[in-house]
Amino acid sequence: MDLRDYLRVLSRRWRIIAALTLLGTGLGVLATYAATPEYQASTTLFVSMQNGADTAQLNQGNVFTQARVQSYAKMAASPFVTRTVIATLKLSMTSAQLASKISASAQPDTVLLRITVTDTNPDRAALLSNTVAGCFADMVSELERPVAAEDSPVRLSVTERASTPTAPSSPRPLVNLALGLLSGLALGAGCAVLRESLDTSVRTNQALSALMTKVGGPPVLGTIVHDPRNARHLVATRHDTHGLRAEGFRQLRTNLRFVDVDRAPKVIAVTSALPGEGKTSVAVNLAAALAEAGAKVCLVETDLRRPNVARALGLVGDAGLTSCLIGQADVWQVLQSTGTFTVLTSGAVPPNPAELLSSEQFSSVLATLSEEFDHVLIDTSPVLPVADTPAMAPVVDGYVLVVRAGRTGRTQVTAALDTLRRGGTPVLGTIFNMASQKGDEQAYSYAYTYRPLRHTTGGFLRLLRNEGRVTPDEPAAGHGASQMQPAGVETVRSDESRPSGW
């Protein structure tokens, strides 16, 4: 992955990054308000040699004290000092507890020693710091005094006494806030990259093309962008004639014509690896796009487990394919029209879908429809969960596999391809469905800006009305959902909402 890929990952996973960043910032604020304020008071000591008659001796003494001062700093919290301080101030704490409050540091290349005491009470911190400095100076003088001498050659003098601090040294709100924010941001970015590396779903058209090249699969025939209005307006060419989804299905229609120019497929099964990937929506819109080009199209619903076409298009669902397969009705009696293409709904749900779809009756129904229509599209069941789709392999000319962006995994795509190939029927191509409109910003923004001018379309409508081809109350497309009329049966309007997987 290069820098652009990482930026794309961070942009796609911005929610988890924002959540962890806010969490880290909140923890920083919580830690600030939950911590007990602590104060620091410091005393500075000057280490010197008392004896020195000339300059040479003074220089030697200075070198001696600089060497010693580092060792003195490590002795400031020794038990000898802490016990003396506790006894002097009559403190109710142990030697170890007092030692944890004391720290000492020696400034480089100097003979200055700084003793710092940290405590929750500012007055007590200053008192402890000055007392520790005095006791420490006495201890060093006693340690450095020769056995036979009365005075110590080393003297520690207080050059700066500790004063009562006015502000706490901790917590530091800005530091805690910055650390929390940066920690949350880093954790969020790490989680985003980790989730991306563990995510095996196909997210871009380029990724699907690369996968097909790797496994020797069919080409990508088209990309259909995601439109949240799809649940209310199923047929894209009717709701938004020049929208991205409508143009995507027109491109799919064009690409299907060049799949096999010598033996153009007539009976095409639209399927997917798993449920909820939009195969029914693709089948309906592909039928509408083919019909828009002037072809006679019949959409056959063979998902005999969870049929959706009749409810989505507002057609009769009680009679359909299963009625023909069991001999209750002739195929011409149960065909219904949507205004531009014909639909053969599934009918009643049978207990044995796979057996019905591999029967001679089903083959006869498709043969009859193939003689009457230019294209027969089949909306099938998903490939991996059930065996219905591979069962119809002998009677279809090819499969089209729908892959949903960000949901269908690579292993699922390859498993579905292998299952379909074992039936001997070719897979004509794949369709990348529900792609993000940000996936190819330049192309999609160009599509948005390249729409017909309103005054041009208005003039075209007036021309059609003047010729009598379109009535004043009829829309130009003539394909609205309200105009769907079944052929041979009465239309039943359904108020039920469409499934979320459309």
Side-chain angles (χ1 to χ4, degrees), residues 37-40 165-172:
E38 293 183 335
Y39 299 85
Q40 288 185 344
T166 58
S169 59
S170 68
R172 293 179 290 179

Side-chain angles (χ1 to χ4, degrees), residues 357-428:
L357 295 177
S358 59
S359 63
E360 291 294 334
Q361 291 87 342
F362 179 68
S363 176
S364 176
V365 168
L366 287 187
T368 302
L369 294 176
S370 299
E371 294 176 357
E372 177 67 21
F373 295 94
D374 299 325
H375 300 282
V376 178
L377 298 181
I378 303 177
D379 176 32
T380 71
S381 301
V383 177
L384 298 183
V386 294
D388 302 358
T389 302
M392 66 178 70
V395 294
V396 300
D397 296 331
Y399 292 101
V400 173
L401 183 64
V402 177
V403 178
R404 181 171 176 175
R407 179 166 178 173
T408 311
R410 295 180 177 89
T411 57
Q412 296 166 348
V413 174
T414 54
L417 287 176
D418 294 339
T419 302
L420 296 175
R421 285 169 172 173
R422 283 195 291 267
T425 301
V427 180
L428 303 177

